[in-house]
C-alpha cells in the first residue's frame, strides 16, 4: 500500500490513539450491526464508503470516520456512539495501512487526505438499521 496520499494522522506502523474532533469525528456501531451498516453504505457508494476502522476483538466495534465537527449535525440513535469535539477528550485507535495492527484494521482502505464517510448518508443508514420496527 502506498502512503503518499495518507493523512498525517495515519501512523506508519502499529496503531495510535487520535483525538477526535481534530482530524475526524467517528461514529461507532457494535458487532454485526456495524457490519450491516457498512454493507449498506458500501452498496450505496459503489463499494467506496470512505474510511472505516474495525476492531477484531472485544466488542468488534466498527468506526466510521466522518469530517471533523460533522457528528454534531445529527441526532444519532441509541446503539451508536458519537466521538467528536466535546468538553472531554475522546480518542479512537487508528491503525497503520499495513503490518501488525491487531486488534484494529482498516475495514475499507485507509483514507486519502480529505476523504471521509458521508455523514448524511451514514446517519440515514444507521437510523434505518437501528430504528426499524421488529417484524
Amino acid at each position: 500500500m502506498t502512503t503518499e496520499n495518507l493523512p498525517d494522522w495515519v501512523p506508519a506502523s502499529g496503531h495510535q490513539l487520535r483525538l477526535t474532533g481534530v482530524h475526524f469525528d467517528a461514529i461507532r456501531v457494535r458487532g454485526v450491526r456495524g457490519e450491516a451498516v457498512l454493507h449498506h453504505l458500501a452498496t450505496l457508494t459503489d463499494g467506496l464508503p470512505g474510511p472505516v476502522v474495525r476492531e477484531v476483538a472485544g466488542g468488534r466495534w466498527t468506526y466510521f470516520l466522518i469530517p471533523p465537527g460533522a457528528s454534531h449535525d445529527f441526532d444519532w440513535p441509541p446503539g451508536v456512539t458519537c466521538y467528536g469535539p466535546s468538553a472531554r477528550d475522546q480518542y479512537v485507535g487508528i491503525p497503520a495501512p499495513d503490518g501488525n495492527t491487531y486488534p484494529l484494521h482498516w475495514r475499507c482502505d485507509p483514507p486519502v487526505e480529505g476523504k471521509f464517510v458521508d455523514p448524511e448518508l451514514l446517519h440515514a443508514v444507521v437510523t434505518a438499521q437501528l430504528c426499524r420496527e421488529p417484524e
Side-chain angles (χ1 to χ4, degrees):
M1 154 113 358
T2 180
T3 59
E4 290 177 22
N5 295 326
L6 291 177
D8 61 1
W9 47 266
V10 175
S13 63
H15 53 79
Q16 294 181 349
L17 292 176
R18 297 294 190 216
L19 182 63
T20 58
V22 176
H23 302 290
F24 59 85
D25 286 2
I27 302 302
R28 183 179 82 169
V29 184
R30 187 176 188 144
V32 295
R33 288 183 174 209
E35 282 295 317
V37 169
L38 178 57
H39 172 76
H40 283 68
L41 269 180
T43 301
L44 295 170
T45 59
D46 296 324
L48 300 170
V52 178
V53 173
R54 179 82 167 146
E55 180 185 86
V56 296
R60 302 185 66 82
W61 299 102
T62 302
Y63 295 85
F64 300 89
L65 305 186
I66 63 175
S71 61
H72 292 296
D73 293 340
F74 303 94
D75 290 324
W76 298 95
V80 172
T81 305
C82 172
Y83 292 87
S86 67
R88 61 185 169 90
D89 294 341
Q90 297 174 313
Y91 292 84
V92 169
I94 299 296
D98 294 309
N100 183 5
T101 61
Y102 183 84
L104 304 172
H105 72 97
W106 287 104
R107 184 62 177 78
C108 298
D109 286 338
V112 173
E113 186 69 49
K115 300 291 183 180
F116 295 98
V117 172
D118 179 325
E120 187 172 345
L121 182 59
L122 176 62
H123 183 261
V125 171
V126 164
T127 301
Q129 284 285 319
L130 298 179
C131 295
R132 66 178 174 209
E133 293 294 322
E135 298 177 11

